[in-house]
Amino acid sequence: MKSTTTGAVSGCIVWVIVFAVIVSCLLPAAMMVGGFTSASNFAIDFTGQFLCPQGTTPVSYSYATTTTDEYGNRQPSTAYELHCVDTSGEVVKEDPIVFAFLWIGVLSLAGLAIGAILAFLLAAPAGVLIARLFKRRNPADVNIEPK
């Protein structure tokens, strides 16, 4: 294999490793932030552009409900829905869950994109660091000439 091909392959492997390390932190964080902010006005307006029919306005609707905890006890909670309201104030479409999945997906894709950019920027320094570590530890590189 040529030296340039070997360098390109090892560079790609280093990028994949750096990408995996970075994304293993960014992706769960992005999903967590998406879950916490899915009922915000910005998330409702953003997802409503894709889910609501044209000529309607996305509105956040919340109501009191109950949930079951890990012991089977009912606990009070709040549920959120996306309502698409037309100009007369009538609800045209209700979406209880897709808007949240869409919002979490958008933030997850943003986390993946940021991870790819950071991996691209940090792959060269990581490759140098790995090369230095392997150069120190490789006993085959030691030059011992017989006397």
Side-chain angles (χ1 to χ4, degrees), residues 23-146:
V23 167
S24 69
C25 297
L26 280 180
L27 194 58
M31 293 176 76
M32 186 177 64
V33 169
F36 288 140
T37 62
S38 62
S40 68
N41 286 332
F42 182 75
I44 294 291
D45 291 340
F46 181 81
T47 57
Q49 296 174 12
F50 303 105
L51 299 175
C52 287
Q54 192 170 11
T56 61
T57 304
V59 176
S60 176
Y61 175 74
S62 63
Y63 57 92
T65 185
T66 59
T67 187
T68 307
D69 67 8
E70 64 269 13
Y71 303 110
N73 301 321
R74 310 239 347 138
Q75 299 289 330
S77 75
T78 304
Y80 296 92
E81 291 183 353
L82 168 72
H83 284 190
C84 302
V85 180
D86 64 5
T87 55
S88 66
E90 183 179 335
V91 176
V92 177
K93 180 180 178 181
E94 297 177 4
D95 178 28
I97 192 104
V98 175
F99 79 95
F101 283 136
L102 180 62
W103 180 247
I104 293 169
V106 165
L107 289 186
S108 298
L109 287 175
L112 285 172
I114 292 169
I117 292 167
L118 285 175
F120 180 74
L121 294 174
L122 297 174
V128 169
L129 177 66
I130 291 170
R132 284 185 183 172
L133 288 174
F134 277 116
K135 194 169 191 174
R136 281 189 211 157
R137 294 185 183 196
N138 193 354
D141 289 342
V142 177
N143 259 340
I144 300 176
E145 293 183 24

Side-chain angles (χ1 to χ4, degrees), residues 3-20:
S3 173
T4 56
T5 306
T6 305
V9 170
S10 65
C12 287
I13 291 171
V14 168
W15 182 87
V16 168
I17 292 169
V18 171
F19 177 74

